[in-house]
Amino acid sequence: MFESKYDVIVVGGGHAGAEAAAAAANLGAKTLLVTMNLQTIGQMSCNPAMGGIAKGQIVREIDALGGYSGVVSDLTAIQFKMLNKSKGPAMWSPRVQSDRAKFALKWREMLENTPNLDFYQDMVVGLIVKKNTIKGVVTGLGNKIYSHSVILTNGTFLNGLIHVGDKNFGGGRVGEKSSVGITADLESYGFKSGRMKTGTPPRVDGRSLDYSVMEEQPGDKNPAKFSYLASIQPLEDQISCHMTYTNNEVHDIMSESFDRSPMFNGSISSTGPRYCPSIEDKIHRFAEKDRHQIFVEPEGENTVEVYVNGFSTSMPEDVQYAAIKKIKGFENVKFFRPGYAIEYDYFPPTQLTLTLETKLIKNLFFAGQINGTTGYEEAAAQGLMAGINAVANVFEKEPLILTRSEAYIGVLIDDLITKGTEEPYRMFTSRAEYRTLLRQDNADIRLTEKSYKIGLAKEERYNRVKKKNVEVEGFVKFLNETSFELDEVNKILKSVNYEPVPQKGKIDKIYSRPNVKQQDIRKLAPVENYIQANKLDNEVLDQTEIQIKYKGYIEKEKANADKLQRLEDIKIPNNFDYNPLASLSNEAKEKLNKIRPSTLSQASRISGINPSDISVLLVKMGR
């Protein structure tokens, strides 16, 4: 069965592994997905949701590149929300509640229908390496499987240790054993590893909750979707979530048992996610707060299981139960299973290049939580890029590297490789200096052509983007060149509390005003006639509105991005010796030798590298 050599082997079937396998296979590589349990491919280990602040932008980017996460999310959604709609479009972030069981099933179905992709259930316990180049993997059953490239996407399974109060046991998820062997093998080749921690809340029986005393959280009235594909339709029937709060009684019960918490008694020493803390951590760190939000999220259409978002904990089960019963609406709660924390191995990502290939072993790639990230979306993005670049290595093609001004995925990977991380990394809009350019609405315009050129995004996607671009440009031109009638415009201006204008002008000048919305401008007969005659859809209308209203901001960010690109274009040879440069500080030499930046732009973002160091390198590389 394993006599022939694979192009790419993907180890692990989580979000990173699934995207990596799909990308590699769709690019024509003979691909094998090896995972410990084929029944849990694409499993949502924690919350049953995709997207959110900045994460939603990542899912749209994955979809624009031809990945599967957006399609799977749309086809298994039970609720859709566009977050941050009260802010500017750079902050708008799509999010779906998913049906957990259907989500994993749809992932499995899509992968099984992907040509060039084989599956094998076993634990990978070691690597086959010759002359610092990966040659394949060794499984727990003793199989040696050979390949040109290997992508490790082990999630929380590497020496995973689960904690519930004073009890702990090996596992990558509850009910699933941890993965052993790979960490020690990688360390033997010179890799440095660390430990991280994450957690998950209890799952409870929805029939035991009183929703009447909670705040209902319905989905959007006119839901959008993640995927840009025309064949994917927005969600029609939605299921509400609910919100309630902790209180002082809850806090007191938890506080009194801090000595039994593995977080506080020394059982857990690794670093947990700063922006998704456990309930005991929140109570400890924010002692002045008398309540914290609890989001009650259904796990699917055909189950009564409920996810208690905001109550992640590793406290003993009796403490969890006593405390959660004091939450409004949870008085008669029944557990399906308690919350728990999990510690696992990761490898500081400064040991990788911008393609996610390791520096120590050629053709070996890391993606997902093995790199110190947290979240399905961050993992899926890395998996997609690792899959693309592993195939590029196999077929000796140019790698795909996205810059910080091109995608949140570019920001994510650059942050990891250039700065590293000592705590689980989570994406935020604030991490992107060009977030006005990196909106969720224009991910297809930014990325689909790049993906089409390498053969991943299909022609249907590319033609759709070209059509959208032509229609947006045409509509913007029409609004820039068409004059308005004074009476019509002043009637609109009065309705949105603006003073009337004294003379005629172009429609775009009126549309650029903050209070003048799409529905207002469509009251002008020429505008509505143009929309109907050209059959413009909502995506085109929304894109046009953003381009007109935020023209100044977009142009300013583009100019800043162009300045950065000049440094991005100055390459640094991989074997460049920094030590002879007397003008560089010892700290700069140490950091540059460790990170091995590929461009001056990347070098400028390394912590400890100052502008004078960049000037030295600029002179050395030649202006």
Side-chain angles (χ1 to χ4, degrees), residues 57 154 205 207 306 311 373 407 528 615:
Q57 283 87 328
N154 303 83
D205 188 334
R207 295 169 299 183
V306 166
F311 205 86
T373 58
E528 186 61 23
S615 296

Side-chain angles (χ1 to χ4, degrees), residues 476 479-482 506-513 548:
V476 169
L479 296 171
N480 289 342
E481 295 177 352
T482 306
K506 303 303 180 188
I507 295 173
D508 68 308
K509 300 300 181 191
I510 300 299
Y511 202 7
S512 64
R513 298 188 179 203
I548 284 178

Side-chain angles (χ1 to χ4, degrees), residues 159-163 168-179 342:
N159 293 321
L161 184 65
I162 292 171
H163 296 266
N168 59 65
F169 48 92
R173 274 189 294 252
V174 159
E176 297 180 61
K177 62 184 179 180
S178 58
S179 173
I342 181 167

Side-chain angles (χ1 to χ4, degrees), residues 243-351:
M243 186 168 69
T244 183
Y245 300 88
T246 63
N247 52 54
N248 286 326
E249 278 190 288
V250 176
H251 300 182
D252 289 344
I253 291 170
M254 300 290 274
S255 300
E256 288 164 6
S257 299
F258 276 171
D259 60 325
R260 299 179 63 198
S261 165
M263 274 194 59
F264 297 117
N265 65 18
S267 299
I268 294 177
S269 56
S270 49
T271 309
R274 179 188 300 266
Y275 301 104
C276 189
S278 66
I279 186 65
E280 55 264 38
D281 195 20
K282 283 191 278 191
I283 292 167
H284 177 69
R285 281 165 52 192
F286 308 108
E288 73 283 0
K289 287 188 174 287
D290 56 10
R291 70 177 193 173
H292 295 285
Q293 289 178 328
I294 299 293
F295 294 96
V296 184
E297 301 178 346
E299 294 264 358
E301 286 181 304
N302 302 313
T303 179
V304 296
E305 188 173 354
V306 166
Y307 179 87
V308 190
N309 195 340
F311 205 86
S312 175
T313 180
S314 59
M315 293 290 267
E317 186 173 6
D318 61 305
V319 178
Q320 295 184 34
Y321 185 63
I324 206 170
K325 278 174 68 72
K326 299 298 181 182
I327 295 175
K328 198 172 185 181
F330 279 73
E331 292 82 0
N332 300 307
V333 68
K334 292 179 180 179
F335 273 17
F336 272 17
R337 74 167 193 237
Y340 62 87
I342 181 167
E343 290 185 286
Y344 55 93
D345 295 337
Y346 85 105
F347 289 81
T350 50
Q351 299 171 99

Side-chain angles (χ1 to χ4, degrees), residues 50-57 59 83 92-96 226 377:
M50 287 289 282
I53 308 300
K55 292 166 173 280
Q57 283 87 328
V59 177
L83 307 180
W92 297 356
S93 301
R95 182 183 190 271
V96 299
F226 274 124
E377 303 83 1

Side-chain angles (χ1 to χ4, degrees), residues 58-114:
I58 289 176
V59 177
R60 293 220 94 188
E61 289 177 354
I62 291 169
D63 185 76
L65 288 164
Y68 286 177
S69 288
V71 173
V72 173
S73 298
D74 286 339
L75 293 177
T76 61
I78 59 174
Q79 187 193 90
F80 183 95
K81 270 191 173 181
M82 186 67 77
L83 307 180
N84 279 343
K85 280 289 282 190
S86 61
K87 300 180 181 178
M91 306 298 286
W92 297 356
S93 301
R95 182 183 190 271
V96 299
Q97 279 303 129
S98 301
D99 186 305
R100 184 190 298 277
K102 289 181 181 177
F103 186 91
L105 192 64
K106 179 55 69 174
W107 252 118
R108 171 83 178 256
E109 179 187 316
M110 289 187 70
L111 289 174
E112 288 186 357
N113 283 292
T114 300

